[in-house]
Amino acid sequence: MKQTKTGRADRSLSSEKTEAILKGGMQEFLAHGYAATSMDRVAIAAKVSKATVYNHFQDKESLFNALIQRLVEHKFSTIFDGADAQILQMPPQAVLTEFANRALDVGTQEPQFLNFMRVILGESGRFPELARAFVRNIEQTAFKSLCQYFTHCPQLNLADPEATARVFVGAIVHFLIVQEMLHGKDILPMERDRLIATLVNLIVVKPTEQP
Amino acid sequence: MKQTKTGRADRSLSSEKTEAILKGGMQEFLAHGYAATSMDRVAIAAKVSKATVYNHFQDKESLFNALIQRLVEHKFSTIFDGADAQILQMPPQAVLTEFANRALDVGTQEPQFLNFMRVILGESGRFPELARAFVRNIEQTAFKSLCQYFTHCPQLNLADPEATARVFVGAIVHFLIVQEMLHGKDILPMERDRLIATLVNLIVVKPTEQP
DNA sequence: GTCTATAGGCGGATAGAC
DNA sequence: GTCTATCCGCCTATAGAC
């Protein structure tokens, strides 16, 4: 395998250009989706010629796959990650509230994440493997992290921690989708704190009957 | 306004052709999304010439808007609707279970609904008004219906019925998105009944402390 | 109102100079 | 490896016959 200027052996072509193309591709694909993005505009955004793009990636589909794969595995992989060890020492109510708040801060922390999710959802028919990669790296991360907490936290005696984790993540992600992605804020107004408080209460308040 | 063969005065051109074009457009747009759909293929699917398509709709965007608007307002508007009056007499546990099951039956009842939702989500950046129409006609329908039940059902003494309804709908819709739209069944297996039972239990089992 | 035929442009992808 | 220039097909949209 060829060696490049930057000394990295894991790519056979100039890493700088590859990075520029991926960055330009991210800008264009996340803004317009797969079909509405042209390789001309990717090249312009990357400040290289179109031929250079095709020197680094076999075709449009390859570039898209490589780009989304990288976003799924690196840039956004920890976006729904659990809280720090420090926070985990607090009472469950606080831990879960913090977890939910972190997840919903995504809009401000990673401004491109909403577009990223839009593309994943929109292209999940044409690119099922990218959708699965999203589930494995992002949905599953959030889910497993919560699930572990639900299982090991002594105060919470949940009958089904796994299913409860799904409910939790579902409520949060769906809230994000309706309010932000689908522009539903003005139609179905709901303060974030109110949703989180209700969701957390449903889980931490002990039921009277335990079969 | 001109009168057509079918006697309907609400359209100035042949209703039969209009219907055919909308049907063909639905097939193509729901399968491939906005950008990847060509007017040629819409014309072929509708079994008319491309010029006829342009006689009935100003351009591609107009056709797409008209089509989605109709799907949102008619074909899919009641898809997350509440249960019958008969079911509402049953105990809350049964009512909520039935509601959740109906929503998740969508996949089999309206096979195109998943594609429809994919397109709405995928195009919510380029067509924000269609996304809002989806929220108003579909998300809000499910939400209001549940909300009314939560508010008026005497057994359930929920602190915040509105927020609870959001949690409920969110858990169901997100389950649908991950398992079906994102092909997550094999990665994060979870039986539908298990999720529903857990979700319903979180809501109907009375908390010990009521502030 | 509906068709066939076509204009005009932009798309993905490549040839060949350097 | 990167560029400029170009191929060629498919795209949206329209002209004009009937």
Side-chain angles (χ1 to χ4, degrees), chain A residues 85-103:
Chain A
Q86 192 186 351
I87 290 166
L88 290 175
Q89 303 308 317
M90 303 176 77
Q93 187 121 9
V95 175
L96 295 180
T97 302
E98 174 67 12
F99 184 98
N101 268 311
R102 280 196 180 207

Side-chain angles (χ1 to χ4, degrees), chain B residues 75-76 79-80 100-115 176 180-181 185 192:
Chain B
K75 191 163 175 51
F76 297 127
I79 206 145
F80 287 149
N101 268 311
R102 280 198 180 206
L104 290 178
D105 277 340
V106 149
T108 63
Q109 298 291 327
E110 287 280 7
Q112 283 285 52
F113 182 74
L114 218 63
N115 287 331
L176 204 66
E180 308 295 333
M181 190 178 297
K185 276 178 179 168
R192 169 210 281 218

Side-chain angles (χ1 to χ4, degrees), chain B residues 32-180:
Chain B
H32 310 113
Y34 179 76
T37 292
S38 78
M39 294 295 261
D40 290 73
R41 294 179 64 169
V42 170
I44 291 168
K47 289 172 188 163
V48 299
S49 76
K50 194 161 51 162
T52 299
V53 175
Y54 280 96
N55 261 347
H56 288 249
F57 299 93
Q58 202 186 5
D59 54 17
K60 185 181 176 182
E61 207 171 306
S62 294
L63 170 57
F64 185 68
N65 270 298
L67 170 63
I68 300 293
Q69 202 62 240
R70 145 185 287 221
L71 294 182
V72 148
E73 287 177 5
H74 296 86
K75 191 163 175 51
F76 297 127
S77 64
T78 61
I79 206 145
F80 287 149
D81 223 355
D84 320 311
Q86 192 186 353
I87 291 167
L88 289 175
Q89 303 308 319
M90 303 175 77
Q93 187 122 9
V95 175
L96 295 180
T97 302
E98 173 67 13
F99 185 97
N101 268 311
R102 280 198 180 206
L104 290 178
D105 277 340
V106 149
T108 63
Q109 298 291 327
E110 287 280 7
Q112 283 285 52
F113 182 74
L114 218 63
N115 287 331
F116 171 66
M117 226 174 111
R118 211 199 309 272
V119 172
I120 292 284
L121 290 163
E123 308 296 347
S124 57
R126 192 197 288 261
F127 296 94
E129 278 314 314
L130 296 182
R132 290 194 188 94
F134 179 87
V135 173
R136 264 194 302 272
N137 288 273
I138 294 173
E139 292 277 351
Q140 187 166 233
T141 297
F143 175 66
K144 284 265 162 88
S145 157
L146 247 186
C147 205
Q148 189 171 5
Y149 181 71
F150 280 165
T151 306
H152 295 344
C153 175
Q155 290 103 314
L156 299 168
N157 232 353
L158 299 171
D160 191 336
E162 282 193 40
T164 309
R166 303 277 291 221
V167 171
F168 195 97
V169 174
I172 298 292
V173 174
H174 181 260
F175 185 71
L176 204 66
I177 288 176
V178 173
Q179 307 301 103
E180 308 295 333

Side-chain angles (χ1 to χ4, degrees), chain A residues 12-206:
Chain A
S12 31
L13 290 81
S14 158
S15 289
E16 287 168 17
K17 299 282 179 181
T18 302
E19 286 307 314
I21 294 164
L22 286 168
K23 191 177 168 190
M26 172 172 146
Q27 189 185 116
E28 295 299 316
F29 280 121
L30 294 197
H32 310 113
Y34 179 76
T37 293
S38 79
M39 294 296 263
D40 290 73
R41 293 179 64 171
V42 170
I44 291 168
K47 290 172 188 163
V48 299
S49 76
K50 193 158 56 159
T52 299
V53 176
Y54 279 96
N55 261 346
H56 289 249
F57 298 93
Q58 201 185 5
D59 54 18
K60 185 181 177 183
E61 206 171 306
S62 294
L63 170 56
F64 186 67
N65 269 299
L67 170 64
I68 300 293
Q69 203 62 240
R70 146 186 286 222
L71 294 182
V72 148
E73 287 177 5
H74 295 86
K75 191 162 174 52
F76 297 126
S77 64
T78 60
I79 205 144
F80 287 149
D81 222 354
D84 319 312
Q86 192 186 351
I87 290 166
L88 290 175
Q89 303 308 317
M90 303 176 77
Q93 187 121 9
V95 175
L96 295 180
T97 302
E98 174 67 12
F99 184 98
N101 268 311
R102 280 196 180 207
L104 290 178
D105 277 339
V106 149
T108 62
Q109 297 292 328
E110 287 280 7
Q112 283 285 51
F113 181 74
L114 218 63
N115 286 330
F116 172 65
M117 226 174 112
R118 210 200 310 273
V119 171
I120 291 284
L121 291 162
E123 308 296 347
S124 57
R126 193 197 288 261
F127 296 94
E129 277 314 314
L130 295 183
R132 290 195 188 94
F134 179 87
V135 172
R136 263 194 302 273
N137 288 275
I138 294 172
E139 292 277 350
Q140 188 166 235
T141 297
F143 174 67
K144 284 267 163 87
S145 158
L146 247 186
C147 205
Q148 189 171 4
Y149 181 70
F150 280 165
T151 306
H152 295 344
C153 175
Q155 290 102 315
L156 299 168
N157 231 352
L158 299 171
D160 191 336
E162 283 193 39
T164 308
R166 303 278 291 222
V167 170
F168 195 96
V169 174
I172 297 293
V173 174
H174 181 260
F175 185 72
L176 204 66
I177 289 176
V178 173
Q179 307 301 103
E180 308 295 335
M181 189 178 297
L182 296 179
H183 317 101
K185 274 179 180 168
D186 299 332
I187 301 163
L188 292 176
M190 167 69 62
E191 284 179 29
R192 169 210 282 219
D193 292 344
R194 204 175 136 196
L195 182 91
I196 295 179
T198 300
L199 175 59
V200 171
N201 264 342
L202 283 175
I203 290 170
V204 298
V205 173
K206 295 253 175 80

